[in-house]
Amino acid sequence: MEAERGWTVLDPGVARTLGAFEVLETLPAQQTDGPAGLVRLSFRYRITAFGVGEGAIPPIGVLYQGPDGARGVASTEEISVAVESVLKEGETFAVVGA
């Protein structure tokens, strides 16, 4: 997310699930200087999936407040994700204790 100086962007927080993905952890936000004097904020989450294939993280609403106190919500775009197996060719999944 990029914002002009003087604007406040709040961590959007996310639900425990994002489409077919589960949020395991919210990582600390990072702030860096963006182009043309903008501030770039990166909100990061560790997620997991319980199946392989194509999926998508749905849009996330991000609350912002301008220098004049006006508030609004901006939405991210949907993010396409390809989930691949962590098993190597020939390996199988076995449940321990089953």
Side-chain angles (χ1 to χ4, degrees):
M1 175 131 246
E2 291 181 346
E4 293 180 8
R5 296 200 186 281
W7 289 77
T8 303
V9 177
L10 304 174
D11 184 335
V14 294
R16 182 102 173 115
T17 58
L18 292 171
F21 302 96
E22 179 180 336
V23 177
L24 299 175
E25 179 181 12
T26 299
L27 302 169
Q30 295 180 328
Q31 180 175 327
T32 57
D33 292 330
L38 297 175
V39 174
R40 179 173 290 152
L41 298 155
S42 297
F43 299 105
R44 305 173 309 139
Y45 306 93
R46 188 175 320 276
I47 62 173
T48 190
F50 295 99
V52 296
E54 298 295 320
I57 297 173
I60 299 170
V62 180
L63 178 65
Y64 64 86
Q65 182 172 336
D68 61 356
R71 290 181 168 218
V73 176
S75 288
T76 65
E77 303 225 352
E78 181 176 273
I79 301 170
S80 295
V81 179
V83 179
E84 296 181 4
S85 176
V86 295
L87 297 176
K88 295 177 184 167
E89 190 173 329
E91 289 183 324
T92 59
F93 176 75
V95 178
V96 178

